[in-house]
Amino acid sequence: MPISPARVAAFEILLRIDREDSYASELLHAARYARLSSVDHGLATELVMGVLRWRSILDSHIASASSQQLSRLDLEVLTALRIGCYQLMFLDRVPRHAAVNESVELVKRARKRSAAAFANAVLRKLAKVTIQPPDIGVAERPTELAAASAHPAWLVDRWISAYGFERTRELCEYDRQTPVTALRVPSSEIERELASEGITLEPGSLLATSRRVISGDVTKTKGFRAGQVTIQDEGSQLVGLLVGQGNRILDGCAAPGGKTRIMAQQNPGATVVAAELHPHRARLMRDLVREKNVCVIVSDIRKLPFVADFDRVLIDAPCSGTGTLAHNPEIKWRIEKEKQKDAHLSKLQTLQIDILKSAMRHVAPRGRIVYSTCSLEPEENEQVIDKAAEGESIFRVINCRDELQRLAAERLLIWPDLDSLISGPYLRTIPGVHPCDGFFAAILERTI
């Protein structure tokens, strides 16, 4: 029996995510799957992101119908079962027999024929019942909230300690949804071109320069292919705008380049040096970031090949990414695999402090450095600022409120509740509270 290209692609991608710690969004847009039709690519995306978003709940249902413990199943078999269960649970337009039969064929295709009868039995049992996603609104305990929202319990416990139960509920609910695609559209002319190509947009929620996609595939448009339109979360765009005005700007951890472009566009007369550690990511940046005032270099920010001071520096540090689970749901299961989660965060913190302190050496007098992450964890945010600032008496923390008020006065920031964006002197966006991923940002100014 033939298997649809969408299901084959989803199966391959999910296996690679588990085996190689790859990212779903990158694999879905890899050249290998560029020839999929729009319909097949859409279904492959739905299956990959859906399985990752709901994985623990899918596993719970599979376990209830299985005669074997899930830990004893081959990864190929478990992945095929997850794909089948997701379709039975969420995709009403997919015939139930197709969800079952093609998932069994995936098992056979993976050379696990001995498990085909088992997979068929499990999925047929699941196909006889109606499976509904749990109601997150009735969860009253941390364990109930974690189970209903398909989040690791330890992560939910951390968030409740930091943000409270109700805010964590909002956060988990946001992560369960497919996020709206946000764009940075540089001009009304480009927006009209998108409309002529069948893209329906609505205004952004945070920023005047942002648009949210209602319908249409932006990646097929001329503006996207020409690099004029950028898909970028509104929280990420806000961090780029927070950097402000400068003549010499350094982006110390630059790829994929969305914030680099914003800084270059906001400062057309400035020189923007974008340093990226990984050569392949730097090559991609050179293709995607086409502003003439940007110079992309391959370099570790901790070992820049020159001595120079910049009046604006952005360090968008490598982090756990726990603020981006709506876009990158694989992260929650990847961190879950870490046997010592505290040690994992501690290792990241050491790297982040090292990067930030190195970047401080390249800030000109009266210059500023913006440190940001897409993490919700204090170890990667406030604690990094506190520890990096120890012994650095020439730097002081600037209240982000001042810069947010500036952006509001310039009519770039349109979010009505500035107070909700502030945590002490820092910027903090929280998914569900704000219509974007979770970002942290701190501004440090060199005083002399």
Side-chain angles (χ1 to χ4, degrees), residues 16 91 177 202 204 255 280 356 397 413:
R16 285 191 62 185
L91 303 187
Q177 309 301 318
E202 67 177 11
H280 71 284
L356 179 53
V397 174
L413 178 62

Side-chain angles (χ1 to χ4, degrees), residues 356-413:
L356 179 53
K357 289 182 75 71
S358 297
M360 287 176 170
R361 297 196 292 267
H362 295 280
V363 180
R366 301 297 178 184
R368 290 184 176 184
I369 183 169
V370 174
Y371 171 86
S372 72
T373 74
C374 53
S375 168
L376 296 170
E377 315 315 313
E379 292 93 334
E380 302 180 84
N381 298 323
E382 295 91 342
Q383 291 182 23
V384 169
I385 301 302
D386 291 342
K387 293 182 180 183
E390 289 178 3
E392 297 286 353
S393 59
I394 63 172
F395 282 90
R396 65 185 181 107
V397 174
I398 299 293
N399 197 320
C400 285
R401 180 185 297 276
D402 297 338
E403 287 303 300
L404 293 177
Q405 289 174 335
R406 172 184 66 81
L407 293 173
E410 294 173 2
R411 298 185 179 179
L412 291 172
L413 178 62

Side-chain angles (χ1 to χ4, degrees), residues 183-186 204-211 232-246 249 251 257-268 312-316 368-372 400-415 421 427 439-443:
L183 308 177
R184 179 170 169 81
V185 182
S205 298
L206 277 181
L207 301 170
T209 52
S210 181
R211 296 293 181 269
Q232 187 176 10
D233 180 82
E234 286 195 78
S236 175
Q237 294 181 44
L238 178 57
V239 171
L241 289 172
L242 203 64
V243 173
Q245 304 298 311
I249 300 173
D251 190 346
K259 299 180 186 69
T260 310
R261 294 193 67 185
I262 290 174
M263 293 185 294
Q265 291 168 358
Q266 291 296 113
N267 297 274
R312 292 292 184 271
V313 176
L314 172 64
I315 296 299
D316 188 30
R368 290 184 176 184
I369 183 169
V370 174
Y371 171 86
S372 72
C400 285
R401 180 185 297 276
D402 297 338
E403 287 303 300
L404 293 177
Q405 289 174 335
R406 172 184 66 81
L407 293 173
E410 294 173 2
R411 298 185 179 179
L412 291 172
L413 178 62
I414 57 175
W415 185 253
L421 294 169
L427 168 72
F439 280 87
F440 170 90
I443 304 174

